[in-house]
Amino acid sequence: MTKRVAVFISGGGSNMVQLLDSMTGDHPARACVVLSNDPGAGGLEKARTRGIATEVVKHQDFAGDRPAFEAAVTAALGPHRPDMICLAGFMRKLTGGFTDQWQGRMLNIHPSLLPKYRGLHTHARALEAGDTVHGCTVHEVTAELDDGPVLGQAEVRVLPGDTPDTLAARVLVQEHRLYPAVLRRFAAGDRTPVYLREGQS
Ligand code: GRF
């Protein structure tokens, strides 16, 4: 049975585009909706041009009441009947009340080799630490931020002279490879982690 996937975004949605464009042919999943907390998210138009339904639930309308925001998200998702959720550049923390409902059915991509560098500014932190290897992780989402079971990682070598921006750009290239590979496997019911490396075909 084809899995129905909701993709959550907050910005440009470059990971979302890769996911949407990967779900074709014999892929075991199809996108059913793209949801954003920001009506100005550039990814919304990219979803629409791909014929994918979109929903916007503005977190500002709930003045910090996270459960109320999440109830509105759940209501907006309802008609689209998603089987699972992919967070793709979604910048709102989700409470345990929401993550529990989607336990084992919600993925996120994070720009570090978890468990290193949970949270923000991951590239700067890796550079400050003098790491020679960095990368990105796709994981199942739990109530703990950036903490669920790892479903895939891609490694990036840190180069002399790297800045957070140059490193982020190389990591993003790997994100775009990793997330579709993990989604295809996960949607087929296979949780075997995917490990990728730069330059490896
Ligand atoms: C990416 O670096 C991703 O790791 C993080 O959000 C950033 C922007 O993603 N979660 P996108 O271009 O909006 O997909």
Side-chain angles (χ1 to χ4, degrees):
M1 182 264 278
T2 301
K3 289 282 191 297
R4 298 171 62 83
V5 179
V7 183
F8 286 18
I9 63 171
S10 296
S14 72
N15 276 290
M16 172 209 69
V17 166
Q18 299 298 320
L19 293 176
L20 296 189
D21 290 353
S22 75
M23 288 184 265
T24 60
D26 65 351
H27 193 296
R30 289 294 185 274
C32 62
V33 63
V34 168
L35 181 142
S36 179
N37 62 295
D38 180 349
L44 289 168
E45 186 52 31
K46 295 171 190 168
R48 292 181 191 122
T49 57
R50 286 166 170 79
I52 305 298
T54 60
E55 296 283 352
V56 174
V57 181
K58 291 172 61 178
H59 64 277
Q60 295 96 326
D61 289 351
F62 300 90
D65 181 346
R66 290 183 187 275
F69 166 70
E70 292 167 357
V73 167
T74 298
L77 288 177
H80 305 285
R81 298 180 289 110
D83 300 303
M84 61 177 287
I85 296 172
C86 286
L87 306 181
F90 186 66
M91 304 310 275
R92 303 301 300 170
K93 283 183 187 161
L94 296 165
T95 70
F98 189 85
T99 61
D100 288 352
Q101 289 174 41
W102 294 94
Q103 186 77 31
R105 301 189 293 152
M106 180 155 57
L107 311 185
N108 181 48
I109 188 155
H110 180 76
S112 78
L113 294 176
L114 291 173
K116 295 182 85 169
Y117 313 128
R118 293 186 177 90
L120 299 174
H121 313 301
T122 61
H123 312 297
R125 292 156 67 190
L127 290 172
E128 281 156 28
D131 291 355
T132 55
V133 178
H134 185 45
C136 52
T137 301
V138 175
H139 63 96
E140 291 188 37
V141 175
T142 63
E144 294 301 313
L145 184 71
D146 302 329
D147 186 55
V150 170
L151 293 169
Q153 292 193 313
E155 288 187 356
V156 168
R157 278 176 301 106
V158 178
L159 300 177
D162 256 334
T163 65
D165 287 348
T166 61
L167 185 53
R170 289 206 312 283
V171 170
L172 194 59
V173 169
Q174 299 307 316
E175 292 178 32
H176 293 169
R177 298 176 62 215
L178 180 67
Y179 213 168
V182 171
L183 174 59
R184 184 181 188 106
R185 191 174 283 190
F186 186 84
D190 180 355
R191 280 177 161 79
T192 310
V194 175
Y195 292 105
L196 301 177
R197 192 167 294 120
E198 255 178 327
Q200 166 202 48
S201 61

